[in-house]
Amino acid sequence: MIEPILEIDIRDLKSIARLRIDLPLKRGLYVIAGQNGAGKSTLMAAVATVFFRTRYERYFGKPSVVDAGIEVRYGSEQYSLRADGRAWRLKGGIQIKGFYEGSLIFGNRFKENSFDTIGKLAGVDPADFVESSDFVREHLGLVLHNDRNRHPRLYTLDPELSRRKYGFKAPPYFYRRGDELIGKSQMSTGENLLITLLHSIDLRIRDRGNVNKPCIFLLDEIEFALHPAALVRLTALLRKVAIEYNMAIFVGTHSVELIREAGPRNTFFLERMADDSIEVVHPCHPYYATKIVYDHAGYDTVVLVEDDLGKRMADRLINRLRLRDSKLVHVMPCGDWQNVIRLLNDIAGNNLLGRPAQVIAVLDRDVQGDVPRYAARFGPGILGEIEFLPVKSLEKFLKARLADRLDIALHRRINDYLLPKIVLADLVRDYRTDCANGDATGKVLFGRIEKALELHGRSREDLVELVVDDLIERGEESVEATMAFLRARLGTPGSP
């Protein structure tokens, strides 16, 4: 089944000169991250034009470049918002529902907290109150205090009465604390903003209609005024809503908590380069997206690797050689190899660790030929701090040793210690039949082995440990080179 994708091209829109990005519409929680000025909010507003018809000059200003605009494709459907003189013109359309809750300037959370709105609250007659929906009431307490019954008496106004009688754009909320009636002017900033957000989510859930059709939810800067623990609970709620109601929820954020919760595959990082172009880093690991190496200022050595598998293999080698004796070593996945080199340069050049600590990189061996030219851009000192794992990648290694040519010792070790209830030879034979002319990366074979591991209650970590142990015991040249590098950088180890 082909996953729904939204293909977006942006040209000369606010701070974005050119951006091409594909965003998934598969149900789930996604993050759009980036440093200040990278174009996160502009991208969110551009995506909102898929379903949001408004005065576009309010969001993008009047066009100043002839070719400025947005083009979006979704399957066979497409539309464009293009500059026409000093105005924007919309052509075409895409049948996707959605909701946009903007940032500080455009967010309803902030508009509904104006002095004018707050001043009207004192004139609301409690006789006009209606009970809040259970969704808003329960999740207000759950997100902020981990207590769904925190506000047993939460009230609002009927939307029509709220507009007609009081002139509110959206119904205000009130709750009772003892005999005291608490309105928005007495609520904390976090309560104020969260209630408005929950109200909007509740409305969109009720208006969801056909849940088989994709729906886009765009939320910018939702971490504003929320405690990190509350933000984690809000993230869990958003993920639950996304899965249950078939929504693709995109959150624009700088929050470490949100990026960690979304995970690398659901994180899109916008990085503004030296020539002012924007690169989309995806998948993107939280360490790279937030540059939070200051969290690890207490470590003696930080080892940068590409991904989780690289981390497991590096950790296994370091532990096997007892290179953590009397020192603190942290292995940190950062995304693809170019991300690692850029971050290596950034940490070393700007002393981001904040103390006399070293940073090194261990990359997948299949990029060994590409690294020198790219690393040279950052000066001669960078290349000397880079080494490579003993294998090109775990997937390619297993394909080479199990399918391309048979390594009987490794085959038996995997079968006997990890997969005793299946015949590994049959799995590989079926794979060869199905993938005779494909799977150059070995990912298909690796996926089948992973499923077999799950049936045995095993994990990728178990497989990595077995492979690393096998490589070390054989004393292969590539392993010796990696171990020599780690010994030299991390100090003299104890005996394994």
Side-chain angles (χ1 to χ4, degrees):
M1 179 179 178
I2 299 176
E3 298 294 350
I5 296 290
L6 204 63
E7 303 172 35
I8 304 167
D9 278 289
I10 299 174
R11 185 187 297 275
D12 295 313
L13 195 69
K14 297 181 72 173
S15 64
I16 298 178
R18 190 79 171 87
L19 176 64
R20 172 73 170 79
I21 187 170
D22 292 345
L23 297 178
L25 294 187
K26 179 182 178 181
R27 65 182 73 200
L29 178 65
Y30 304 89
V31 158
I32 296 176
Q35 297 171 332
N36 291 328
K40 298 186 303 300
S41 296
T42 300
L43 173 60
M44 298 278 275
V47 176
T49 62
V50 171
F51 53 82
F52 191 44
R53 304 292 180 260
T54 185
R55 292 173 53 196
Y56 299 111
E57 288 80 3
R58 293 177 55 196
Y59 290 86
F60 307 126
K62 292 185 179 296
S64 57
V65 178
V66 174
D67 293 331
I70 308 164
E71 293 186 2
V72 183
R73 292 169 295 281
Y74 173 64
S76 60
E77 299 178 304
Q78 61 182 4
Y79 85 94
S80 64
L81 181 69
R82 303 298 297 272
D84 182 5
R86 295 286 287 165
W88 296 102
R89 293 288 181 264
L90 186 67
K91 182 179 180 180
I94 294 177
Q95 299 303 309
I96 295 177
K97 282 192 172 184
F99 169 72
Y100 174 47
E101 170 55 47
S103 58
L104 182 64
I105 298 174
F106 299 114
N108 292 316
R109 295 164 292 166
F110 305 96
K111 293 177 184 175
E112 294 172 5
N113 285 287
S114 66
F115 284 112
D116 180 59
T117 299
I118 292 174
K120 296 178 182 178
L121 295 177
V124 174
D125 185 350
D128 291 332
F129 286 170
V130 294
E131 293 282 346
S132 159
S133 72
D134 289 340
F135 179 90
V136 176
R137 177 182 60 80
E138 291 181 5
H139 287 102
L140 177 64
L142 195 61
V143 170
L144 292 181
H145 307 287
N146 202 24
D147 179 4
R148 67 177 64 249
N149 296 313
R150 175 81 175 194
H151 300 292
R153 294 176 293 175
L154 183 66
Y155 308 103
T156 185
L157 296 174
D158 174 79
E160 179 60 30
L161 179 66
S162 177
R163 287 190 297 269
R164 177 171 43 82
K165 184 174 179 179
Y166 296 104
F168 293 121
K169 293 181 179 179
Y173 280 78
F174 306 81
Y175 64 79
R176 290 195 181 277
R177 186 171 57 200
D179 295 330
E180 185 181 7
L181 185 65
I182 306 297
K184 291 175 75 73
S185 59
Q186 290 87 39
M187 291 182 189
S188 70
T189 304
E191 286 175 325
N192 254 307
L193 302 183
L194 182 61
I195 281 181
T196 305
L197 181 59
L198 291 173
H199 175 79
S200 298
I201 295 173
D202 190 31
L203 286 181
R204 295 318 175 275
I205 289 175
R206 294 167 183 265
D207 186 45
R208 183 65 184 93
N210 184 356
V211 295
N212 293 319
K213 292 185 177 181
C215 178
I216 310 171
F217 226 99
L218 303 168
L219 305 173
D220 207 358
E221 299 179 9
I222 64 171
E223 66 266 31
F224 192 82
L226 290 180
H227 186 277
L231 188 57
V232 170
R233 291 190 287 267
L234 176 58
T235 304
L237 170 62
L238 293 175
R239 183 182 289 108
K240 177 184 175 183
V241 169
I243 298 301
E244 188 171 347
Y245 295 99
N246 189 20
M247 294 180 179
I249 299 182
F250 289 87
V251 178
T253 186
H254 296 285
S255 164
V256 174
E257 290 81 13
L258 269 171
I259 295 170
R260 281 174 174 162
E261 289 294 316
R265 293 181 182 177
N266 285 18
T267 297
F268 296 80
F269 183 76
L270 306 185
E271 183 162 23
R272 189 171 291 278
M273 309 304 288
D275 62 357
D276 217 30
S277 64
I278 297 175
E279 179 182 350
V280 179
V281 180
H282 175 257
C284 184
H285 288 259
Y287 296 112
Y288 189 84
T290 59
K291 302 293 196 294
I292 56 167
V293 292
Y294 56 78
D295 275 2
H296 308 288
Y299 287 97
D300 298 293
T301 300
V302 172
V303 183
L304 307 180
V305 296
E306 294 184 44
D307 53 25
D308 291 338
L309 287 175
K311 172 178 169 56
R312 294 184 187 106
M313 189 165 285
D315 269 326
R316 186 63 177 163
L317 282 170
I318 291 168
N319 292 341
R320 176 83 180 191
L321 299 173
R322 287 179 56 183
L323 294 175
R324 283 189 166 94
D325 287 4
S326 303
K327 64 178 68 67
L328 293 175
V329 180
H330 181 70
V331 182
M332 191 166 74
C334 305
D336 69 27
W337 65 273
Q338 292 175 328
N339 290 353
V340 173
I341 293 175
R342 288 197 297 267
L343 189 54
L344 175 65
N345 175 68
D346 199 15
I347 294 172
N350 297 290
N351 192 29
L352 294 185
L353 291 177
R355 53 157 289 168
Q358 68 172 337
V359 55
I360 61 176
V362 180
L363 304 175
D364 292 351
R365 189 163 290 274
D366 59 353
V367 301
Q368 188 171 12
D370 300 319
V371 166
R373 178 179 296 179
Y374 188 79
R377 298 166 54 184
F378 303 97
I382 295 296
L383 192 58
E385 301 303 322
I386 300 172
E387 184 49 49
F388 302 89
L389 293 170
V391 297
K392 290 185 175 181
S393 71
L394 185 59
E395 297 91 341
K396 291 179 180 178
F397 173 80
L398 292 173
K399 179 177 181 292
R401 296 296 179 93
L402 299 179
D404 296 344
R405 58 182 176 83
L406 180 60
D407 182 330
I408 295 177
L410 179 64
H411 183 282
R412 286 178 176 170
R413 196 166 187 172
I414 293 174
N415 212 146
D416 294 347
Y417 287 90
L418 298 182
L419 306 174
K421 296 180 182 179
I422 73 163
V423 179
L424 183 58
D426 290 343
L427 185 152
V428 174
R429 188 180 300 111
D430 291 342
Y431 163 78
R432 283 173 171 167
T433 301
D434 298 339
C435 304
N437 299 313
D439 193 31
T441 63
K443 293 185 183 296
V444 175
L445 175 61
F446 188 75
R448 296 186 182 191
I449 294 175
E450 269 196 306
K451 289 182 179 179
L453 289 169
E454 290 175 5
L455 292 175
H456 287 76
R458 300 286 189 171
S459 66
R460 293 190 298 179
E461 289 91 337
D462 297 319
L463 181 59
V464 169
E465 289 182 7
L466 185 148
V467 167
V468 173
D469 285 345
D470 186 75
L471 289 169
I472 292 174
E473 290 169 13
R474 295 186 191 210
E476 295 191 9
E477 184 178 345
S478 60
V479 182
E480 292 298 330
T482 306
M483 291 194 299
F485 172 83
L486 292 173
R487 286 192 187 101
R489 296 305 188 278
L490 274 65
T492 305
S495 301

